[in-house]
Structures are given as structure tokens and as C-alpha cells.
């Protein structure tokens, strides 16, 4: 199991004062020391947290790999194609949302063509591609047809589910993960995962990468980034049946 740490909210704290601290680049060094397998950032169109400069510095300094989350918007896609993160995850983006609210909508032909075009350009640039999608079997199939290397299953509904509904949401994730692997996609998962709810998702054997941000950054404020990452990594890798590195 690989653990990627999303550092957007380190930049959120900085942007609360429009100053120069805390610095996501320093946080990335500490996350790597804590055992993170990669660093994720979302360069949003409205630049509410991570800035281009952060991304460029991270691309130069991160020793593991950078997973850049991006909307299918020409400007940001062009940035990714030029600067070549190790991995790019296509995500939906709405200005008024507090955080990414659901998986990519690839339900109609126009959106499918846009996604397929973006995935093709990423492939040509040598960037591994991932599509952030809801855990629905038809969408997993479509991700495969569109040519993604990987899918990141949206775990938000699982994370927000009431206790009585959690097993059902977990089952949806399991089915989508099994299908994804069986059609040749790498399977990632993320959104809303915490120290309390991560283990059942980490135990899904097809899931090989987790992307976790808010919970780890929140804990890091109290105990430090290196320790916060180490503690999450221990939970992510302790689960029985986890995919090997
Ligand atoms: N994966 C994706 C695609 C996301 O957009 C986000 C949030 O930016 C995350 C994972 C991390 O979510 P969280 O901050 O809730 O851990």
C-alpha cells in the first residue's frame, strides 16, 4: 500500500493570512521523512490554496513523486503537460464547493471525449493518469475505455455514511475496486479518510494507493507532520490483505 499525502491544507493555513508560512515544501520533506510514498496537491482554478509556485517547487524537491490533481481545464492541463508531474489525477471542480464533492462526471459523450483527449495528452507526455470517480461499476468500465492508467475511487460517501450504511458503502468500494483491477486499472482511493475510518479501505486488496489530506494535516498541526504521517502509514499498512508496495 502506498500512502500519498495531500498538502493542500498546509497552503490553506498560509493563504488565511496571505503570508509565506506554513510552507508546503517543508511539509513535503517532513511527510517524506514520515514515510509518505508521494505528495499530492490540487492546483485549483481559483488558486485558493496551492499556487503554481508551490507546485513547481514541489516538482523540483519532492524525492518520491508528485501526484497533481487537476480539473479538465486547458490552462491547468497545459501546466501539467509542461511540468510533468509523475502522476496526474483528473478531478471535477466547482468554484463554490468547499472541497471536491464527487467523482468526475463522464456520463455523456462530450465529457467522455474531453476526458479521453486529456488522458491521451497526458499519456503522450509520459505522465501516469488517474481518474477520480465514484465507485460505480459502469463508471469504472468507462474509465478503462477512456484509457486511464488508474482510477481513484471516491471514498467520501463511505466516510460520511451513518454507521448503519457504512458496510454498504464499503461493499460498493470493494466491488468497484475488484472490477477496476480485473479490467487492468490500478486502483487508488481517497477523500474523507481519517485515522478512524481508513483501515477497512486499506484492507481492500485491490487498492494500492491512498490519498489522504485533511485528517493528516489536522493531526500534524498538533503532533507534527512526520509523526502524523507515520501514524497514518501504520494504519494503512496494518490492514490484513493490503496490496504490497
Ligand atoms: N483525493 C482527491 C481526488 C481529492 O480531491 C482530495 C481532496 O483534495 C483528496 C483525495 C483528499 O481528501 P481529504 O483531504 O479529505 O483527505
Amino acid at each position: 500500500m502506498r500512502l500519498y499525502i495531500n498538502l493542500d491544507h498546509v497552503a490553506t493555513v498560509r493563504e488565511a493570512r496571505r503570508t509565506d508560512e506554513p510552507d508546503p515544501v517543508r511539509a513535503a520533506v517532513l511527510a517524506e521523512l514520515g514515510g509518505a510514498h508521494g505528495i499530492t496537491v490540487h492546483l485549483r482554478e481559483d488558486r485558493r490554496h496551492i499556487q503554481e509556485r508551490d507546485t513547481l517547487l514541489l516538482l523540483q524537491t519532492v524525492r518520491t513523486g508528485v501526484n497533481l490533481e487537476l480539473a479538465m481545464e486547458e490552462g491547468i492541463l497545459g501546466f501539467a503537460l509542461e511540468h510533468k508531474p509523475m502522476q496526474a489525477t483528473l478531478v471535477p471542480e466547482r468554484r463554490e464547493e468547499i472541497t471536491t464533492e464527487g467523482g468526475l462526471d463522464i456520463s455523456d459523450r462530450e465529457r467522455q471525449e474531453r476526458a479521453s483527449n486529456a488522458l491521451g495528452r497526458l499519456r503522450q507526455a509520459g505522465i501516469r493518469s488517474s481518474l477520480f470517480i465514484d465507485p460505480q461499476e459502469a463508471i469504472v468500465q468507462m474509465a478503462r475505455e477512456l484509457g486511464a492508467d488508474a482510477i481513484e475511487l471516491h471514498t467520501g460517501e463511505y466516510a460520511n455514511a451513518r454507521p448503519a450504511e457504512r458496510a454498504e458503502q464499503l461493499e460498493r468500494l470493494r466491488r468497484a475496486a475488484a472490477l477496476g483491477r480485473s479490467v487492468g486499472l490500478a486502483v487508488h482511493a481517497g477523500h474523507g479518510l481519517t485515522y478512524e475510518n481508513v483501515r477497512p479501505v486499506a484492507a481492500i486488496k485491490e487498492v494500492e494507493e491512498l490519498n489522504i489530506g485533511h485528517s493528516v494535516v489536522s493531526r500534524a498541526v498538533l503532533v507534527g507532520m512526520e509523526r502524523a504521517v507515520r501514524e497514518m502509514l501504520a494504519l494503512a499498512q496494518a490492514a490484513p490483505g493490503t496490496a504490497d508496495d
Side-chain angles (χ1 to χ4, degrees), residues 126-144:
I127 302 166
R128 188 166 186 267
S129 65
S130 177
L131 285 186
F132 182 57
I133 58 168
D134 289 326
Q136 287 178 28
E137 282 154 296
I139 307 181
V140 175
Q141 279 290 4
M142 181 51 68
R144 174 77 191 105

Side-chain angles (χ1 to χ4, degrees), residues 6 8 42 69 91 99-100 132 152 190-193 211-214:
N6 179 314
D8 292 351
H42 183 176
E69 290 179 5
V91 301
T99 179
T100 313
F132 182 57
E152 179 177 338
H191 208 281
L193 295 176
N211 269 286
I212 308 184
H214 186 264

Side-chain angles (χ1 to χ4, degrees), residues 52-225:
E52 282 186 24
R53 177 176 181 274
D54 297 322
T55 314
L56 293 173
L57 288 173
L58 287 166
L59 286 167
Q60 288 167 28
T61 54
V62 163
R63 308 292 297 261
T64 49
V66 172
N67 171 36
L68 180 63
E69 290 179 5
L70 70 161
M72 275 190 282
E73 190 271 322
E74 195 50 43
I76 309 240
L77 193 58
F79 177 88
L81 294 171
E82 182 181 351
H83 298 291
K84 298 194 183 1
M86 188 202 65
Q87 179 169 288
T89 301
L90 298 177
V91 301
E93 201 174 291
R94 287 197 305 120
R95 254 168 211 266
E96 61 275 25
E97 69 192 0
I98 293 175
T99 179
T100 313
E101 282 168 356
L104 264 184
D105 181 356
I106 42 175
S107 59
D108 62 51
R109 203 162 186 83
E110 191 195 326
R111 289 189 174 92
Q112 289 161 7
E113 275 169 14
R114 278 183 73 198
S116 152
N117 179 275
L119 291 167
R121 289 163 73 192
L122 290 168
R123 189 177 325 110
Q124 273 196 335
I127 302 166
R128 188 166 186 267
S129 65
S130 177
L131 285 186
F132 182 57
I133 58 168
D134 289 326
Q136 287 178 28
E137 282 154 296
I139 307 181
V140 175
Q141 279 290 4
M142 181 51 68
R144 174 77 191 105
E145 284 166 32
L146 295 178
D149 295 315
I151 46 173
E152 179 177 338
L153 297 176
H154 179 37
T155 49
E157 284 185 60
Y158 157 78
N160 293 330
R162 286 198 290 264
E165 290 157 7
R166 194 162 270 193
E168 189 187 321
Q169 291 297 338
L170 195 56
E171 199 41 45
R172 285 180 78 209
L173 289 165
R174 284 198 190 106
R175 280 201 304 269
L179 175 64
R181 171 69 71 85
S182 78
V183 297
L185 291 162
V187 182
H188 309 163
H191 208 281
L193 295 176
T194 67
Y195 294 82
E196 283 69 43
N197 68 21
V198 70
R199 286 193 67 163
V201 175
I204 299 173
K205 67 177 190 310
E206 293 86 4
V207 174
E208 58 188 71
E209 180 184 308
L210 295 176
N211 269 286
I212 308 184
H214 186 264
S215 186
V216 171
V217 172
S218 302
R219 193 172 187 85
V221 169
L222 304 179
V223 305
M225 181 59 79

